[in-house]
Amino acid sequence: MRKVAIIYTLGLIAVLAFVALVGCEQEPAPAPPEPAPLAPTPAPAPVPTPEPEPQPLPPPAPETLTYINSEYGFSVEYPKDWIFEEGLMGVIVVLAGPFLEEEQFMININITSEDLPNFPKMSLEDYSRVSEMQLKKVAENYQEVDKYDTAIADCPAIVCTFTSDYEGTAMMQTQIYFLKGNVAYVITYSATPQSHGQYYECFEGVVSSFKFE
């Protein structure tokens, strides 16, 4: 670094001497014009932030009551404006909902059970298949709509939806089958084809709340 600085200094002295000699004979060159001032860069226009669209509030969950059956050892939640009837037509309980004036039909969910002492090794698939065979014999114009596997109260289950005719009334029903030991349980949701979707949430609420005590 010192060596470079010395060379630079000597060179500068030589240049100054040359300028001094020549400057006596020539007029100094005019100074270069000053550069024009740069125009200020306009600030970018602020981009308005879109306001979030209001989201609709979810519908309030329907109020429910708890049905407990100590004899069979289970409980379920059902809409508070429904009623229940025990021991009707051989079922454990019927949860009765709205009465449809036009169809002259009452929305209902019933729960039944069946002991299987003679079939200790019967699988859920076998029980579902036998139940569907019996339905086809007693239900007019039986037609399966949907079928899939699920679970209820920590038990494997099968859900089957079908249409049929009952005493001249078109029906759409959904049944869920599940086994607990040597006992088979069936929860059946009955409605008309027009109202099946409207009250299906009530059926889902009963199924999801089912638990053994």
Side-chain angles (χ1 to χ4, degrees):
M1 294 297 292
R2 293 181 59 187
K3 186 174 183 179
V4 173
I6 293 172
I7 294 174
Y8 176 80
T9 303
L10 293 175
L12 179 59
I13 295 173
V15 170
L16 292 175
F18 175 78
V19 171
L21 292 174
V22 177
C24 297
E25 300 177 358
Q26 297 180 355
E27 295 182 359
E34 296 182 1
L38 298 176
T41 303
V47 178
T49 303
E51 296 183 1
E53 297 183 359
Q55 298 296 324
L57 296 176
E63 297 184 25
T64 61
L65 299 176
T66 302
Y67 168 79
I68 301 175
N69 191 300
S70 56
E71 180 181 356
Y72 291 90
F74 70 84
S75 66
V76 295
E77 302 288 329
Y78 66 97
K80 73 170 189 176
D81 54 348
W82 289 32
I83 60 174
F84 71 87
E85 184 73 27
E86 295 179 317
L88 183 65
M89 299 177 63
V91 303
I92 299 175
V93 63
V94 176
L95 305 173
F99 182 76
L100 307 178
E101 293 288 348
E102 293 185 5
E103 293 90 346
Q104 291 293 298
F105 186 85
M106 179 171 286
I107 303 295
N108 68 89
I109 300 170
N110 67 68
I111 303 175
T112 62
S113 69
E114 181 179 6
D115 293 330
L116 305 173
N118 298 325
F119 304 96
K121 296 183 179 181
M122 175 174 279
S123 66
L124 175 62
E125 290 73 16
D126 290 338
Y127 183 81
S128 172
R129 190 178 304 110
V130 172
S131 298
E132 291 172 20
M133 290 175 58
Q134 294 176 345
L135 278 172
K136 292 178 181 179
K137 293 179 181 180
V138 299
E140 298 180 11
N141 302 321
Y142 175 92
Q143 183 67 44
E144 184 177 297
V145 176
D146 190 21
K147 188 176 182 179
Y148 60 91
D149 296 333
T150 186
I152 177 173
D154 297 327
C155 300
I158 295 176
V159 179
C160 181
T161 299
F162 57 92
T163 58
S164 64
D165 294 332
Y166 177 73
E167 296 182 353
T169 300
M171 297 179 58
M172 178 174 281
Q173 296 175 284
T174 298
Q175 290 189 321
I176 180 167
Y177 311 97
F178 57 104
L179 305 179
K180 179 74 170 178
N182 291 335
V183 181
Y185 293 86
V186 182
I187 302 178
T188 303
Y189 164 51
S190 300
T192 62
Q194 296 82 2
S195 59
H196 185 271
Q198 182 179 356
Y199 297 98
Y200 194 80
E201 183 180 357
C202 299
F203 170 68
E204 290 180 319
V206 170
V207 170
S208 63
S209 66
F210 185 100
K211 62 180 180 181
F212 292 103
E213 299 294 329

